[in-house]
Amino acid sequence: MASSLTSLVLLVWLPVVRGVTCDEVVDLSHVLGPDSIFFPVFNLPFNLTVLERGQTADGYWFEYNKFDTLEHMGTHLDAPAHVHKGGWRVHEIPVSRLVGPGVVIDVRQQVKNNPDYRVTVADLQRYERRYGRIPDGAAVFMWSGWDVRYPDPQTVFNTPTPNDISTYHFPGFHLDAVNWLIKSRTIYMLGVDTPSIDFGQSRVFEVHQAFTAARILGLENVNNLGRLPASGATVVAAPVKLQDGSGVPIRILGLVPEGRTGLRGRAKRSSARLI
């Protein structure tokens, strides 16, 4: 039985990775813990309770814990149900939607003097002129360099008052750009290295409304995007199969093929500051 199960897993997995010679596996997630960032809609920080940790009477070490977390905390996935009635909940997401070609849109220069910057259609078209058409099933990321600010709430939300949502200033995607992706391309995931795919000053989360209605998965607070090439990597985002979840903390992997260099190799890592 075990042998048959192993064979089945390989048959499912091999078509995904066949032809990908991986030179590096990049961890695109921040650590989930007491310092993890979340919108202060519900003031429920992460908590881990140690139930057992120590040497047993039988002479072996044993650990067993319980943890409590919001769904939308730290590096996490937004399921379509998050902002779209009737959308897929976490356990309903097809596994085929959790793997795809990585596309990294570098907007560090635009963000440098405008923390409210939103990725435009022109940014996407400029990317395609240089790297080719955004492939079907892609995971499209905005790389603003914001990951260096994590997990300090004041620099992540770019405000001295991180409990006041109205004061947030960080970049995201413009609605026009997301609508262009929905209508003109076929993508499976949309990600940012900031707390939200909508920019900080959004009030009705119109970008969330658009991409969730199109059954696109959201990935927020993504880390280490500069270690991916602009194109050519494979992204794997495999969440816990949380029944009825609207989102879930997640570990995202970037598989970088041989001979590809991450974008950050071309520039120094910037320091965190309010802008």
Side-chain angles (χ1 to χ4, degrees), residues 13 16-27 227-229 232-236 253-261:
W13 179 245
V16 176
V17 297
R18 184 178 290 125
V20 177
T21 304
C22 181
D23 188 50
E24 181 183 11
V25 179
V26 178
D27 188 347
R227 291 177 58 189
L228 295 185
T234 298
V235 172
V236 181
L253 304 180
L255 310 182
V256 180
E258 289 183 355
R260 293 299 185 108
T261 303

Side-chain angles (χ1 to χ4, degrees), residues 161-254:
T161 55
N163 288 323
D164 183 355
I165 294 176
S166 70
T167 66
Y168 290 177
H169 293 278
F170 55 79
F173 275 86
H174 197 285
L175 180 60
D176 290 347
V178 172
N179 282 333
W180 184 84
L181 287 168
I182 292 169
K183 294 174 183 177
S184 304
R185 300 293 180 264
T186 303
I187 71 168
Y188 288 170
M189 292 177 272
L190 191 67
V192 292
D193 54 2
T194 57
S196 174
I197 294 173
D198 279 282
F199 81 130
Q201 284 292 292
S202 177
R203 293 294 170 267
V204 295
F205 302 102
E206 60 271 19
V207 173
H208 274 74
Q209 293 185 53
F211 77 76
T212 55
R215 289 186 163 180
I216 293 170
L217 312 180
L219 303 173
E220 296 172 327
N221 289 316
V222 180
N223 193 20
N224 288 326
L225 284 171
R227 291 177 58 189
L228 295 185
S231 66
T234 298
V235 172
V236 181
V240 172
K241 201 170 183 179
L242 179 64
Q243 183 162 349
D244 288 335
S246 71
V248 64
I250 188 172
R251 195 162 193 178
I252 311 168
L253 304 180

Side-chain angles (χ1 to χ4, degrees), residues 41-98:
V41 178
F42 302 101
N43 189 22
L44 298 169
F46 176 90
N47 181 64
L48 184 138
T49 303
V50 176
L51 302 176
E52 293 286 348
R53 182 175 295 176
Q55 206 76 14
T56 69
D58 295 319
Y60 63 90
W61 184 265
F62 183 71
E63 294 194 16
Y64 207 101
N65 307 312
K66 171 183 177 292
F67 65 90
D68 301 289
T69 181
L70 293 169
E71 297 174 315
H72 303 271
M73 177 176 282
T75 304
H76 66 274
L77 177 145
D78 286 352
H82 181 38
V83 189
H84 182 70
K85 185 177 181 179
W88 289 327
R89 295 195 170 100
V90 173
H91 75 282
E92 297 171 318
I93 298 170
V95 292
S96 61
R97 297 298 187 104
L98 299 170

